[in-house]
Amino acid sequence: MTLRRRMRALPLSQIRLTDSFWTRYQRVLIEETLPAEYDQIVATSRLANFHRVTGKAEGTHEGIYFNDSDVYKYVEACAYGLAVGERLASKEACDRVRRQMDEAIDSVVAAQDPDGYINTFFQLKHPTLKWRNLSMLHEMYCGGHLIEAGVACFQALGDRRLLDVSIRFADHVMSIFGPNGRPGYCGHQEIELALVRLADATADKKYREFARWMVEERGKSPSVFLRELDDEGAMTLNPGLRHHLMKDGRYQGEYAQDHAPIREHTEVVGHAVRAMYFYIAAADLADGQGDEELELALERIWNNLTHKRMYVTGGIGPSSKNEGFTGDYDLPNLTAYAETCASVGLIFWGQKMLELTGNGEYADIVERALYNGAISGISLDGRAFFYDNPLESRGQHQRVPWFGCACCPPNIARLLGALGHYVASVSEGAFFLHIAAGLEAECTFNGVATRIRVESNYPWSGEVKIHVEPERPVRFALHVRIPDWSEEVGTDLPRAEEEATYETGYAVFDRTWKAAEVLTVDLGVKPKWVESDPRVRDNLGRAALTFGPLVYCAEQHDLGYAPQLFTADTEMEMVEAKEKILEGVTTLTVEGTYDVELFTDSLYADVGTTEVREGSAKFVPYYAWCNRGATNMQVWVRKL
Amino acid sequence: MTLRRRMRALPLSQIRLTDSFWTRYQRVLIEETLPAEYDQIVATSRLANFHRVTGKAEGTHEGIYFNDSDVYKYVEACAYGLAVGERLASKEACDRVRRQMDEAIDSVVAAQDPDGYINTFFQLKHPTLKWRNLSMLHEMYCGGHLIEAGVACFQALGDRRLLDVSIRFADHVMSIFGPNGRPGYCGHQEIELALVRLADATADKKYREFARWMVEERGKSPSVFLRELDDEGAMTLNPGLRHHLMKDGRYQGEYAQDHAPIREHTEVVGHAVRAMYFYIAAADLADGQGDEELELALERIWNNLTHKRMYVTGGIGPSSKNEGFTGDYDLPNLTAYAETCASVGLIFWGQKMLELTGNGEYADIVERALYNGAISGISLDGRAFFYDNPLESRGQHQRVPWFGCACCPPNIARLLGALGHYVASVSEGAFFLHIAAGLEAECTFNGVATRIRVESNYPWSGEVKIHVEPERPVRFALHVRIPDWSEEVGTDLPRAEEEATYETGYAVFDRTWKAAEVLTVDLGVKPKWVESDPRVRDNLGRAALTFGPLVYCAEQHDLGYAPQLFTADTEMEMVEAKEKILEGVTTLTVEGTYDVELFTDSLYADVGTTEVREGSAKFVPYYAWCNRGATNMQVWVRKL
C-alpha cells in the first residue's frame, strides 16, 4: 500500500443528499433525534453540570465522569444537522435545534477555566485529581470531543465559539504534556484524531504534531499508565476498571491498545471504540509522510479486523466483557456486543483509509457498516437506540431512549448529520461516487463549476443516473464505485468515446464532459445468500441473506414463529416486494422448512421427533429490525 | 404423586461395586484423588486455618470465607473411600488416606470453640461478625458440610469424632436460631439436609424439626436477609455479592431461592447448587408426612428442571453470572456453566425423590447426570477437575488441579466414594437395581440373608446377569430398572413361573427365589441419536449421539478437524468399537460430511464457497472428553 491523499470530502454546503433513504434519516434527526437527545442531556443533568461550574446551577457533578462528552457529540451532531437540515425539515424544527445547541454551546463556553481546562467532573468534584488518572477517567477523551464539536461548528456553521474553547483547551493540554513536558495520553483515544481536525481547521500544524507524539508514545514500555495504577489516590475514582489493564499481576495494555507501539500492532485488540479512534488518527498522521512502516501497520490491522473479526453487518467487537475484540473468527451472534459506536468508528476509519488510498475495498466496509450495523443502532422514529447490535435475538433485546453511558445516541446522530462526507469525495480532477445515494454536489474542475446530480433509489435498486452538468465542457475523471457485492454491472453513457477503466474498486470515466450528460449505471442489486469462512464456528451450516449493501434478517413478526426454527433453501428463487412496513422496505421471501414447536414431554427424544414443514419466510433489512416490538430475530439462518 | 419411602440405600459395608467402570474410579479416588486433594488443602492453608485457631500455626485466616467446607467435604469423601477402598487399592494407599483424613479430623476437633461454634474465617478474622451476614458468608453452609462429614465418618467408619463436633455445632446453632429464638437461615442452603442426616444418625428428631423450620421460613416476606443488606457493617465482608439479591433497588431472593416459600415455588431459579441442596432437604422432610402441598411443589420444580432446564448431560444451571438458572429452554452449549457440583446435587436430589416415590423417572435423571455431567468434572487420572462442563469447546477449556473456590473437587470425590448408595436400594421385601452396574449386595428378606450379585459390563453393554443367592428360598420382589433410553428389553429367568410386571420404570420379579438363580436382562445398549425440544434454540438442526446412559461427543483428536465442521447423517449405521483409549471406551463412528477449512480472503462470500466432503467421525463418551489435551469438542453436532 502506498498511502496517498487521493481525495477529500466536500463541505456539507456543497453536497446535499436527495435520496429518500437518507433524507428520511436526516429529517428525523432534526425533528426527533436531536430534540430527544437534548431532553435527555437536560434530564440527566449533563448540561446542568456545566451550569454548576459557573454557579448558574446548584449542586455537584452528577452522572458518569465522561458525561461532558455526550454534550459535545450532541453539539457536533447539531452542527451537521443544521448544515443540511433546512431543505429537509421545517423552519420551526431547525430553529429549535439551533436554540438548544446554542444553549449547550453557551454553557460550555462559560464553564471553561481561565487556564483553558474544562471537565465538569473534575472541576466540580475532584479538582486535585486532574490529570492524575489518564488511563481510566477520560479527561482527554472528553476534550477530544470538545475539539471535534468546535471544529464541526466552525466548519459546518462558521461558528467559532467552541473552536476558541477548543484551542484554549488544546493549548492547555500542550502546556502540560508533550515531548518536552510530561509524558501522557488518554486511556480512551479520541483527542488524537480531534487534534488533527483542529490542525486542519486552524491551519496550525502544532496540533497535528502533538497528536503524532501521543500516537507514537502509546504502547511504549513501561506504560505511562503503570504509574497511575500503583497510585491508589488516582485509582480510587474508578477502581473497577483496573482489571482491564492488570492481568495476573502484570500490566497488559491491550484493552487500551497500549500493549505495543502502533507500528508493531498486528491484530486489532481491546476496546473496539478506542481502537477505531486510535487508528483514525494514525491514518490521518500517515498522510503524505511516506511512512511506509506506519502505513503497513494500518493495513495489517485493518485486514485483521475486516477479514477475521467483523460481523457481516459491519459490527465489530464481539464481547461485552471488554466492549471489544477477542480472537480471530470469534463472532457469536446472540451475544454479539457490536457496539453502535464501534461501527460508527469503523466507518470513520474506513473513510479515512479510503480517502488516503483511493482503494474501494475500504468503501465496501464503510458501506457495509453504514447500511447495517451502524444505523441498526437507531430506531426508525429516531428516538431509541441500541448500544449493542446482536445478530440474533430471542426476544429480550430492544432499543431504549437513552443509556447511563450514553455514547451511542449522539454518535449515530453525528454520523447521520455528516453523511454527505461519506457518499462522495473529490480530488484534483476527479469525482468519486462511493455510495450510489441520490445527491447533488457542487464541484469545480479546472476552474469550471460543475454540478453532479445522482438520481437513485438506492439501496432498493442499483439503477443510478449520474447527471454531470458542467458550466462549460471540462475534463475530469468520474469514479463510480463498483461494490464488492456487485456481480454484473451495466453502464450506459450515450456519447461514450471509450470504455470505462477499472481502478481499485471504481469504474473510471475520464473524459471531457459537456453540458448535462447522463451516465447510467446498474450495480445489480439483487438478493444473494452469503456464507462465512468456516472458521466462524457460529455460522457453520448457516447463510445470511443480502440485497445490495443490505444484510437481511428474519423476525417473528413476519414468520409467525421464531426464525431460529426456519431453514432456508438457498437454491430456490426469492420474491422481492416493495412494502410500506418499516418506513418502506423491499422484503425478500424465501422458501424453506421450519421445525414445528411441538415435542414430547421430555426435553430430549429420538431424532426425528420434531415435525418439519415446508414454508416460506419473509426477510426484512437488518437495520430495521426490532421496530415493531421486541421479537425473535436471526441473521444467520440455517440452510438446507 | 404420593410420596412414600419406598426404599433406602444399603450401608456401604453391604454393597460393593465390582464392575470395571466404577471400581476404576474408586481405585483412582483412593490412590490419586484424595491424596491430591489433601495436598491442595494443605498447600492452600485450608488445614492451617484450623491450626491457627488452636495456635498450632501462626497467622490469620487465608483464602475464601467458606474454605472450611472443602476440608469437611474432603473428609466425607475419605470416609466413603475408606469404607470401600480396601478391596480396590493397596493397603499403603488406604493407610495414607486414613492418616491424612485423621489429621484433618483432629485439626477440626481441636478448633471448635467451647460453645460449639466453629468457622475459622470468623474465629480468626471477624469474631464480632459471627451470624451477622447469613445471606452471603456461608457460616451455616460450612456447618452443614461439617455435619455431613461427621455423619459419614460415623456411618461409614464408626468414627464418632466429627459426629460429636457436629452435634455440638448443631446444638449451638439451635441455641441461637429457631422458632423461639432468632429467625435465620443460610444464604447457601446445606445445613438443612445435613441436619436431617444428623437426625437419622443420632435418632434425635429435633434436628429434623429444626431443618423443617429453616426450610419453611425461607422465602417469607420480608426476607431475614433484607435487614442484613441494609447493615453496612455486616455487608462489608462481601459487598460484591449484594447485586445477586438486590435488583433495581428491590430485594429479589431468587438467587438464594428466598423469593417465596417453598410451597409456592413453580420453577427452579437462582444458584443451582443452592437449589439442589434445598430441595434435597425438602424431599427428606416431606417423607412420610402426607404433606401433599410440599410433595406437589417438589414434583413441579423437578419437572421444570428436568423438562425445561437441564442439559442432555444432566448438567444444570447454564449461566456463569449467577452460577445457576436463567429461563426455560435456555441451554447454550459453548458457554454452559453446568457446574460439576450442580450435577452432583442433582444426583443427590434425584436419588432422594427416587427413594421416596419409587418412580424410575428420577433414576433416569440420576443415571444421566452420573454417567455424563457429573463425572466429566474429574479427569480420568483423578487429579484434575472441571468447574463448568460445557457441551462445546473451541479449545480453551481444560481441567485444572484445583480452584480458588474449590467446591467441585471434593464434591465429586464424595459422590464417587458413596456410589454404592446410588446403584441399588432395598425396601421391605424388595430389592431395587437402579443402575445395572456390577455389584455384590448383602440383604435380608424376611429374615433370610440373601446375596445379590450383578455381573455386567455396563455401560458398554446392556447385558446384565443378576445372581440371586438366598441362604434358603425366600420371596421378595426384584425390581430391575428399565431406563428411559431402553427400546427393547430382553429378560430370561430359567424357572419363570410368571412374566415380570412393570411398575413405574422397573421390571418387577416378585417371586420365591431359590438358591443361586440367575436372571439375565438385556437393556439394549446401542447407539442412538437424540434431538431436543425445538424451544432449545441452541440445538435446532442438531443431534446428540447416545449409547445407553452415555452421551457422546466428537473431539478434534479423533476427527483431525474441529467437530463443529462435521455434519452427521443420522440415518446411516454406526460402527461400535471397543478401544483402549481413554481407559477403555466404546467408540462410535458416524458417517456424514464436513466443511473444509478453506475459504476466500474475505470473511464472507457467496453461499456454496466452502467445499463439503464426505467423511466419517469417531465419537467418544462425553465424560471422557478433554483427557488428551484441550481441544475442539461438540456434543450437539449438526445433522443432515
Side-chain angles (χ1 to χ4, degrees):
Chain A
M1 175 173 74
T2 307
L3 288 166
R4 51 203 186 284
R5 183 176 277 281
R6 290 285 305 267
M7 51 184 92
R8 59 182 169 77
L10 287 161
L12 293 180
S13 58
Q14 291 174 32
I15 185 160
R16 291 182 297 283
L17 291 171
T18 57
D19 78 333
S20 60
F21 188 86
W22 288 120
T23 55
R24 198 199 69 78
Y25 272 101
Q26 291 192 326
R27 179 180 56 73
V28 169
L29 176 73
I30 307 287
E31 293 180 351
E32 304 292 342
T33 308
L34 291 172
E37 294 189 358
Y38 172 83
D39 290 345
Q40 292 289 351
I41 281 169
V42 170
T44 58
S45 291
R46 279 169 166 81
L47 214 49
N49 286 334
F50 289 94
H51 296 153
R52 286 167 183 151
V53 171
T54 57
K56 199 172 151 193
E58 301 210 332
T60 185
H61 183 277
E62 274 183 85
I64 307 177
Y65 51 90
F66 52 78
N67 276 2
D68 289 359
S69 66
D70 301 324
V71 176
Y72 302 141
K73 280 197 287 188
Y74 156 77
V75 168
E76 185 182 353
C78 287
Y80 303 139
L82 288 171
V84 303
E86 277 174 25
R87 285 174 309 110
L88 305 170
S90 67
K91 181 169 185 309
E92 189 190 348
C94 291
D95 286 349
R96 178 171 58 172
V97 169
R98 184 175 294 276
R99 200 167 58 242
Q100 293 175 339
M101 178 191 77
D102 278 342
E103 184 196 336
I105 291 174
D106 289 341
S107 308
V108 172
V109 170
Q112 188 168 38
D113 284 347
D115 66 358
Y117 185 88
I118 182 165
N119 185 305
T120 66
F121 174 74
F122 287 93
Q123 287 171 299
L124 290 166
K125 266 190 161 167
H126 301 285
T128 63
L129 289 176
K130 284 178 192 170
W131 309 123
R132 280 186 54 192
N133 187 341
L134 299 179
S135 63
M136 293 298 171
L137 292 177
H138 293 26
E139 236 167 333
M140 292 186 191
Y141 166 89
C142 289
H145 278 302
L146 165 67
I147 295 168
E148 285 210 88
V151 171
C153 288
F154 176 65
Q155 291 182 332
L157 304 176
D159 183 330
R160 280 199 66 100
R161 285 176 293 171
L162 278 191
L163 185 68
D164 291 335
V165 174
S166 302
I167 290 168
R168 284 194 295 271
F169 178 80
D171 291 346
H172 174 68
V173 172
M174 289 173 67
S175 74
I176 298 169
F177 297 93
N180 302 317
R182 186 181 145 188
Y185 41 85
C186 191
H188 195 316
Q189 300 93 320
E190 159 61 28
I191 197 167
E192 300 87 346
L193 76 89
L195 286 165
V196 176
R197 291 186 72 178
L198 185 63
D200 286 347
T202 59
D204 189 339
K205 283 198 288 191
K206 73 178 179 194
Y207 301 117
R208 177 182 293 265
E209 292 317 306
F210 187 63
R212 187 185 309 281
W213 171 78
M214 280 190 168
V215 167
E216 301 279 5
E217 281 293 293
R218 198 175 199 90
K220 288 185 180 170
S221 182
S223 168
V224 295
F225 296 152
L226 200 52
R227 195 170 37 199
E228 297 178 354
L229 293 169
D230 287 338
D231 170 359
E232 289 198 6
M235 286 308 293
T236 47
L237 297 182
N238 199 358
L241 288 178
R242 186 187 168 82
H243 73 278
H244 284 304
L245 293 175
M246 293 297 291
K247 303 249 159 92
D248 304 324
R250 292 196 313 129
Y251 180 79
Q252 295 192 15
E254 280 83 357
Y255 176 69
Q257 295 79 43
D258 189 41
H259 55 299
I262 187 168
R263 291 156 192 281
E264 297 168 19
H265 291 194
T266 55
E267 296 178 330
V268 68
V269 299
H271 188 278
V273 178
R274 296 174 197 228
M276 294 304 100
Y277 289 2
F278 187 43
Y279 298 128
I280 292 164
D284 251 341
L285 293 166
D287 169 35
Q289 300 294 309
D291 185 343
E292 200 171 331
E293 189 184 39
L294 183 55
E295 293 169 8
L296 285 172
L298 286 168
E299 191 177 29
R300 201 163 57 223
I301 302 158
W302 174 270
N303 287 342
N304 174 254
L305 171 60
T306 59
H307 293 183
K308 296 183 179 173
R309 302 189 176 191
M310 180 188 71
Y311 287 98
V312 70
T313 55
I316 57 173
S319 175
S320 62
K321 287 186 185 164
N322 63 347
E323 302 193 294
F325 299 101
T326 54
D328 289 346
Y329 307 109
D330 179 34
L331 296 166
N333 294 305
L334 181 67
T335 59
Y337 199 65
E339 185 182 336
T340 300
C341 284
S343 282
V344 171
L346 174 63
I347 291 167
F348 292 164
W349 184 27
Q351 190 73 12
K352 207 61 82 174
M353 297 295 281
L354 172 65
E355 289 175 353
L356 293 175
T357 65
N359 186 341
E361 287 179 22
Y362 295 107
D364 289 334
I365 302 294
V366 170
E367 183 181 70
R368 183 185 289 278
L370 182 60
Y371 280 91
N372 301 288
I375 56 168
S376 60
I378 186 168
S379 63
L380 292 172
D381 71 6
R383 302 178 66 91
F385 307 89
F386 280 147
Y387 200 106
D388 46 326
N389 293 272
L391 281 78
E392 179 188 353
S393 172
R394 297 188 184 163
Q396 284 82 17
H397 208 65
Q398 54 189 319
R399 294 184 188 83
V400 295
W402 198 246
F403 306 93
C405 168
C407 48
C408 298
N411 225 354
I412 190 75
R414 68 186 181 132
L415 173 71
L416 290 171
L419 270 177
H421 287 159
Y422 299 93
V423 293
S425 309
V426 291
S427 73
E428 190 62 34
F431 183 90
F432 292 82
L433 182 66
H434 307 309
I435 292 175
L439 60 83
E440 292 182 12
E442 310 292 344
C443 313
T444 303
F445 301 105
N446 285 318
V448 180
T450 305
R451 166 174 298 185
I452 294 173
R453 286 193 299 122
V454 178
E455 278 183 82
S456 83
N457 190 28
Y458 202 69
W460 312 118
S461 162
E463 291 171 36
V464 188
K465 279 191 183 174
I466 305 170
H467 301 260
V468 180
E469 298 166 353
E471 274 192 341
R472 56 177 195 275
V474 63
R475 179 169 179 174
F476 71 94
L478 175 61
H479 295 238
V480 180
R481 179 172 144 268
I482 309 302
D484 53 350
W485 48 259
S486 204
E487 290 179 354
E488 279 180 70
V489 181
T491 62
D492 184 39
L493 188 60
R495 186 180 56 84
E497 304 94 302
E498 68 284 292
E499 292 290 306
T501 55
Y502 185 84
E503 190 185 315
T504 61
Y506 290 80
V508 184
F509 302 86
D510 185 1
R511 63 202 284 279
T512 300
W513 300 86
K514 302 192 173 168
E517 291 191 275
V518 182
L519 167 65
T520 63
V521 179
D522 188 347
L523 299 174
V525 167
K526 61 176 187 180
K528 183 158 84 164
W529 289 104
V530 299
E531 66 183 25
S532 297
D533 188 306
R535 286 169 289 195
V536 183
R537 305 298 186 211
D538 288 281
N539 296 344
L540 283 163
R542 297 175 180 277
L545 182 57
T546 64
F547 187 69
L550 298 172
V551 174
Y552 275 58
C553 68
E555 286 195 292
Q556 182 152 0
H557 297 303
D558 301 300
L559 275 58
Y561 54 83
Q564 289 86 348
L565 297 162
F566 182 73
T567 302
D569 185 340
T570 56
E571 293 181 0
M572 294 281 280
E573 288 238 340
M574 286 167 272
V575 177
E576 296 173 36
K578 290 192 187 300
E579 298 202 50
K580 290 187 176 164
I581 58 169
L582 302 168
E583 300 289 334
V585 294
T586 295
T587 61
L588 300 174
T589 298
V590 170
E591 298 300 314
T593 65
Y594 64 99
D595 296 349
V596 179
E597 250 183 0
L598 287 171
F599 207 65
T600 66
D601 271 352
S602 302
L603 198 44
Y604 306 103
D606 289 2
V607 79
T609 301
T610 304
E611 186 191 344
V612 179
R613 292 188 193 149
E614 293 197 353
S616 60
K618 184 190 283 187
F619 283 59
V620 297
Y622 172 77
Y623 76 81
W625 90 273
C626 205
N627 274 285
R628 294 171 290 177
T631 188
N632 284 297
M633 179 277 291
Q634 192 160 45
V635 170
W636 288 101
V637 296
R638 286 184 285 153
K639 65 174 167 22
L640 283 179
Chain B
M1 177 172 76
T2 307
L3 289 166
R4 53 203 185 284
R5 182 177 278 280
R6 290 284 304 267
M7 51 185 92
R8 60 184 169 76
L10 287 162
L12 293 180
S13 57
Q14 290 174 31
I15 185 162
R16 291 181 297 281
L17 291 170
T18 58
D19 77 333
S20 60
F21 189 86
W22 289 121
T23 53
R24 198 199 67 80
Y25 272 102
Q26 291 191 326
R27 179 180 55 75
V28 169
L29 176 73
I30 306 290
E31 294 179 351
E32 303 292 341
T33 309
L34 291 173
E37 294 189 358
Y38 172 83
D39 289 345
Q40 292 288 351
I41 281 169
V42 170
T44 59
S45 292
R46 280 167 165 84
L47 213 51
N49 286 335
F50 290 94
H51 297 153
R52 286 165 183 154
V53 171
T54 58
K56 199 172 150 193
E58 299 209 334
T60 185
H61 183 277
E62 273 185 86
I64 307 178
Y65 50 91
F66 52 78
N67 275 2
D68 289 359
S69 66
D70 301 323
V71 176
Y72 301 141
K73 279 196 287 188
Y74 156 76
V75 168
E76 185 183 352
C78 288
Y80 303 139
L82 290 172
V84 304
E86 278 173 25
R87 283 175 311 112
L88 306 170
S90 67
K91 182 168 184 309
E92 188 191 349
C94 292
D95 286 349
R96 178 171 58 173
V97 169
R98 184 175 294 276
R99 200 169 56 241
Q100 293 175 338
M101 178 190 78
D102 278 343
E103 183 197 336
I105 291 175
D106 290 341
S107 308
V108 173
V109 170
Q112 188 168 38
D113 284 347
D115 66 358
Y117 185 89
I118 181 165
N119 185 305
T120 66
F121 175 74
F122 287 92
Q123 287 170 298
L124 290 166
K125 264 190 162 166
H126 301 286
T128 63
L129 289 176
K130 285 178 190 170
W131 309 124
R132 280 185 57 190
N133 187 340
L134 299 179
S135 64
M136 293 298 171
L137 292 178
H138 294 26
E139 239 166 331
M140 293 185 190
Y141 166 88
C142 289
H145 279 302
L146 165 67
I147 295 168
E148 285 209 89
V151 170
C153 288
F154 177 64
Q155 291 182 331
L157 304 176
D159 183 330
R160 280 198 67 99
R161 286 175 291 171
L162 277 191
L163 185 69
D164 290 336
V165 173
S166 301
I167 291 168
R168 285 195 296 270
F169 178 80
D171 291 346
H172 175 68
V173 172
M174 289 173 67
S175 75
I176 296 167
F177 298 94
N180 302 316
R182 187 180 143 188
Y185 41 85
C186 191
H188 195 316
Q189 301 94 320
E190 159 61 29
I191 196 169
E192 300 87 346
L193 77 88
L195 286 165
V196 175
R197 292 186 70 178
L198 186 62
D200 287 347
T202 60
D204 189 338
K205 284 199 290 191
K206 75 179 179 194
Y207 301 117
R208 177 182 292 266
E209 291 317 305
F210 187 64
R212 186 185 308 283
W213 171 78
M214 280 188 169
V215 167
E216 300 280 5
E217 281 293 294
R218 197 175 200 92
K220 288 184 180 170
S221 183
S223 167
V224 294
F225 296 153
L226 199 52
R227 195 171 35 195
E228 297 177 355
L229 293 169
D230 287 339
D231 170 358
E232 289 198 5
M235 286 307 292
T236 46
L237 297 184
N238 199 357
L241 288 177
R242 187 187 168 83
H243 73 277
H244 285 303
L245 293 174
M246 292 298 292
K247 303 248 160 92
D248 304 323
R250 291 194 315 128
Y251 181 79
Q252 294 190 17
E254 279 83 357
Y255 176 69
Q257 296 78 42
D258 191 41
H259 55 298
I262 187 169
R263 291 156 191 281
E264 298 168 20
H265 291 194
T266 55
E267 296 178 332
V268 67
V269 298
H271 188 279
V273 178
R274 295 174 198 228
M276 293 304 100
Y277 288 2
F278 188 42
Y279 298 128
I280 293 164
D284 251 340
L285 293 166
D287 170 35
Q289 301 292 311
D291 185 344
E292 201 172 330
E293 190 185 39
L294 184 55
E295 293 170 8
L296 285 171
L298 286 168
E299 192 176 30
R300 201 162 57 223
I301 302 158
W302 176 271
N303 286 343
N304 174 254
L305 170 61
T306 58
H307 294 183
K308 296 182 179 173
R309 301 188 177 194
M310 179 187 71
Y311 288 98
V312 71
T313 54
I316 57 172
S319 175
S320 63
K321 287 188 186 163
N322 63 347
E323 300 193 295
F325 299 101
T326 54
D328 289 345
Y329 307 108
D330 179 33
L331 295 167
N333 294 306
L334 181 67
T335 59
Y337 199 65
E339 185 183 337
T340 301
C341 283
S343 282
V344 171
L346 175 63
I347 291 167
F348 292 163
W349 184 26
Q351 191 73 11
K352 208 60 87 174
M353 297 296 281
L354 172 64
E355 289 175 354
L356 294 174
T357 64
N359 187 340
E361 288 179 20
Y362 294 107
D364 289 335
I365 302 295
V366 169
E367 183 181 70
R368 182 184 290 276
L370 182 59
Y371 280 90
N372 301 287
I375 56 169
S376 60
I378 185 168
S379 63
L380 293 173
D381 71 6
R383 302 178 66 92
F385 307 90
F386 279 147
Y387 199 106
D388 46 326
N389 292 272
L391 281 77
E392 180 187 353
S393 171
R394 297 187 184 163
Q396 284 83 16
H397 208 64
Q398 54 188 321
R399 294 185 188 84
V400 294
W402 197 246
F403 307 94
C405 169
C407 48
C408 297
N411 225 353
I412 190 75
R414 66 185 183 134
L415 173 71
L416 290 171
L419 269 176
H421 288 160
Y422 300 92
V423 293
S425 308
V426 291
S427 73
E428 190 61 35
F431 184 89
F432 292 81
L433 182 66
H434 306 309
I435 292 175
L439 59 84
E440 292 182 11
E442 311 292 343
C443 312
T444 304
F445 301 107
N446 285 317
V448 179
T450 304
R451 165 174 298 184
I452 294 173
R453 286 193 299 123
V454 178
E455 278 183 82
S456 83
N457 190 27
Y458 203 68
W460 313 116
S461 162
E463 291 170 38
V464 187
K465 277 192 186 174
I466 305 170
H467 300 259
V468 179
E469 298 165 352
E471 274 194 340
R472 56 176 194 275
V474 63
R475 179 169 178 171
F476 72 93
L478 175 61
H479 295 238
V480 180
R481 181 172 142 267
I482 308 302
D484 54 350
W485 48 261
S486 203
E487 289 179 354
E488 277 180 72
V489 180
T491 62
D492 184 40
L493 187 60
R495 187 180 55 86
E497 303 95 305
E498 69 283 293
E499 293 289 308
T501 56
Y502 185 85
E503 190 185 313
T504 59
Y506 290 81
V508 184
F509 302 86
D510 184 1
R511 62 200 285 275
T512 300
W513 300 85
K514 302 191 174 170
E517 291 190 277
V518 182
L519 167 66
T520 63
V521 178
D522 188 348
L523 299 173
V525 168
K526 60 176 188 178
K528 184 158 86 166
W529 289 104
V530 300
E531 66 183 26
S532 297
D533 188 305
R535 287 170 288 194
V536 182
R537 305 298 187 211
D538 288 281
N539 296 344
L540 283 163
R542 296 176 181 276
L545 183 57
T546 64
F547 186 68
L550 297 172
V551 174
Y552 275 59
C553 68
E555 286 195 289
Q556 183 152 358
H557 297 302
D558 302 300
L559 276 59
Y561 53 81
Q564 289 86 348
L565 297 162
F566 183 73
T567 303
D569 185 339
T570 57
E571 292 181 1
M572 294 282 278
E573 288 237 340
M574 285 168 271
V575 177
E576 295 174 37
K578 288 191 188 305
E579 299 202 49
K580 289 186 178 165
I581 58 168
L582 301 169
E583 299 291 332
V585 295
T586 294
T587 61
L588 301 173
T589 298
V590 169
E591 299 300 315
T593 64
Y594 64 99
D595 297 349
V596 179
E597 249 182 1
L598 287 171
F599 207 66
T600 66
D601 270 353
S602 303
L603 199 42
Y604 306 103
D606 289 2
V607 80
T609 300
T610 303
E611 185 191 346
V612 179
R613 292 189 193 150
E614 293 197 354
S616 60
K618 184 190 286 187
F619 283 59
V620 296
Y622 172 76
Y623 75 81
W625 89 272
C626 205
N627 275 285
R628 293 171 290 175
T631 187
N632 285 295
M633 180 278 292
Q634 192 161 45
V635 169
W636 288 100
V637 296
R638 286 184 285 152
K639 65 173 168 23
L640 284 179

